[in-house]
Structures are given as C-alpha cells and as structure tokens.
Amino acid sequence: MTLIIHPIRKDFGAEISGIDLSESTTTATKQRLNALLAQYAVLVFRKQTLTPPQFMGAAEIFGELMDQQLKKYVLPDYPMVGCNSTDDLPRKNGKLQVRGENYHTDHSNDRCPPKATTLHALQIPPTGGDTQFVDVRQAYDDLPEALKETIKNLKSLHVHQSSRSPRELTKLSPEDLAKIPTALQPIVIRHPGSGRPALYLNTGRMEGIEGMSADEGYALIENLYQRATDARYEYRHQWKVGDMVIWDNQAVMHQANADYDPEQKRFLYRLMIKGVALTAAQ
Ligand code: SIN
C-alpha cells in the first residue's frame, strides 16, 4: 500500500489516497497517518465503504475511541458510533436545526477533549450540507504581537452551554446536565502532537474569561473568534458518499451547514478519539 498525499493548502487539509480503510493497517502506516493528521489537521479519504466495525477500526488508527456524549444519537448495536442524521433533527419555520451550526471544537468542556472527530458519509443531499473547517494554528500565528501578549496566560471556563452562546445546544435534563463536566481551558494551547500554538475557542461553551469582567471577556472572545473564522483560514468540505474525514480538534474549529433541502436525507456516522488534558502554549 502506498499512501498518496494531495495537500489542499500548505499544512492545512490533505486528501489521502492509496488506502482502503476497511483493511487493517501496518504500524508504519498508522504512524504516518498520525503524523499527517498532526501536520494537516484535516484528512480526507474518498471512496471508502465502511461498516460500523470497519469505521471503528479506521478511526482507531488515530487512537482510542471516546464515548459519545449524546447517547440518544448512537447506533443501537454499536453505541460508540454516533449518528448524524436529518431524521433526528428538529425543524423551526421549515428549517432544519442542525447540530454544530457555528464554529466550535468538540466537547471543549471536557478536561481531556477529544483529540479528533471523524465522520463517514452514507447519504448526502445533492447540494449543500458542507462542513467548514478553520485553521486555528495559522489564525494564532497571524495575530498582532500585542494581542498575543494580552492573551498568553488567559483561561476560560467551558461549560455545557455558555450564557452567551450564539446557538442553543442540545437541551439536557437537570440530572443529565449534572453529569456534564466543565473545564478551565487556556485560550492559547500548545498542540499536543505538533507543538504548534493554537487558539482554543468555542463561543457556545466559553463562560467569559477568568479574571475579566463579563463584558470585557466576551468582547475579547468575539474579537478572537472573528479573526479565527476569517475565510482565509477556511477549508470547506463538500461531502460525497463514501468520504471519511477526520479532523484534529486542537488545530481546527468546524461548523455544519443547514443550507440544504430538509426533505433530503443527510446521514453520517461519527466517532471521536480520546485526547489529553490541554496545556497553555507558554
Ligand atoms: C459537527 O459539528 O460535528 C457536525 C458536522 C456536520 O454535520 O457537518
């Protein structure tokens, strides 16, 4: 098996061919794919046909599988595998209320947020339903030096849903909410794999900034979020059936789009890979 790497941007996004992810991989291939994920942050594998166990095997190339937080959206026979399906989505004024419709990083309220998340596409609408990614390592590198200095030691408490969240996250009963963790995370992290500094933002979950007034903290978060979501940091993935895309949650933010016909089915399997506690870039 010879991996062929087609970079999408310099050090951001790569399409990988020459591999059938339904088959087992050698240790050398696993190491190479992990190095590619640390470098490119989003890897795209086209034309894969994966059963749930094969998808789990493919995801395990990148580490140990992590439990889904929303247990109601999993495959009954394979509860590690989440389902991202239009069948489960509520509608408001005829529009689908998709999960993940603003830039975020998965489960940032977990002390050890997932290293990576992966989706495998089974049904895709003819148009729309792309997933967008922004490179928060490059966004950090491009910040003015004075702003880097301002944010270098700052931390934010990440909760299930921020009191100023731009979107409503899945509603939880008080019992379920009590089980959901909260975590104080650095605003600038040192990427656990590549060592690169990166912005760590999630406006749906960040409850201000430690040591700042609420207004000052949210204004700074908004400033950083606007910079990080600039189109020049974006890779927009247009799904095809058979795609498996894996992204690094400490190097990118991602967002879903509800811009497709709600009568068209969109269905993807979802898995997450366990991560480590995050450290500040200093
Ligand atoms: C997500 O935010 O994980 C969902 C991405 C998508 O469905 O496009």
Side-chain angles (χ1 to χ4, degrees), residues 185-250:
Q185 306 285 17
I187 300 270
V188 186
I189 58 166
R190 172 82 50 208
H191 187 275
S194 68
R196 284 184 67 179
L199 285 171
Y200 196 68
L201 304 172
N202 193 350
T203 50
R205 298 200 194 270
M206 291 169 85
E207 198 65 344
I209 295 184
E210 192 186 45
M212 285 187 172
S213 71
D215 284 348
E216 197 188 2
Y218 285 109
L220 181 52
I221 290 169
E222 188 55 25
N223 176 354
L224 295 169
Y225 183 79
Q226 289 305 328
R227 290 170 186 272
T229 56
D230 189 282
R232 75 193 134 136
Y233 303 122
E234 179 194 294
Y235 163 60
R236 186 175 183 118
H237 184 72
Q238 293 183 308
W239 289 96
K240 293 194 178 95
V241 169
D243 288 354
M244 172 171 151
V245 175
I246 185 160
W247 63 88
D248 181 324
N249 282 308
Q250 278 87 58

Side-chain angles (χ1 to χ4, degrees), residues 94-114:
K95 186 177 173 255
L96 286 173
Q97 305 297 291
V98 306
R99 295 194 291 279
E101 205 187 0
N102 88 313
Y103 274 113
H104 63 284
T105 177
D106 287 333
H107 302 317
S108 59
N109 56 315
D110 222 305
R111 197 178 73 84
C112 298

Side-chain angles (χ1 to χ4, degrees), residues 84 99-100 104 106 117 119 129-131 239 247 254-257 266 268 270:
N84 200 335
R99 295 194 291 279
H104 63 284
D106 287 333
T117 304
L119 293 175
D130 301 346
T131 307
W239 289 96
W247 63 88
H254 63 283
Q255 75 174 359
N257 284 281
R266 185 175 184 272
L268 305 96
R270 175 177 189 268

